[in-house]
Amino acid sequence: MLFTDPDYESIEREVTAKGWSMHQFCKLCGFDDSTWGRWKRGEMSPTLSTLRKLDKGLTKFRTMRASKKNEAA
């Protein structure tokens, strides 16, 4: 489980390397991609609730086959 601000650049590289957009990834996690942008820009920090969503989303993302990406869209 993540308890610090995520490594945004690393996560974005991982997501885009699998051919996903951040919009698709954030939708899979259960929060809006504008939230991701505000985190990256330092306008706000993730809450414990959204960190949990991110953690679960990353786990799900990492176990999905690439062919399933469109199910999250």
Side-chain angles (χ1 to χ4, degrees), residues 12-35:
E12 286 185 357
R13 279 192 303 274
E14 182 178 352
V15 168
T16 57
K18 287 190 177 182
W20 282 52
S21 68
M22 288 309 296
H23 175 78
Q24 291 170 310
F25 175 74
C26 291
K27 186 174 180 178
L28 172 73
C29 291
F31 53 81
D32 197 79
D33 57 334
S34 64
T35 300

Side-chain angles (χ1 to χ4, degrees), residues 31-51:
F31 53 81
D32 197 79
D33 57 334
S34 64
T35 300
W36 181 264
R38 287 192 298 273
W39 292 349
K40 269 189 70 175
R41 291 187 300 273
E43 294 173 8
M44 63 183 278
S45 293
T47 63
L48 184 55
S49 169
T50 52
L51 283 174

Side-chain angles (χ1 to χ4, degrees), residues 1 8 10 12 21 25 40 49 57 60 68-70 72:
M1 171 90 176
Y8 305 109
S10 175
E12 286 185 357
S21 68
F25 175 74
K40 269 189 70 175
S49 169
K60 185 173 182 179
K68 291 193 170 195
K69 82 172 187 178
N70 292 326

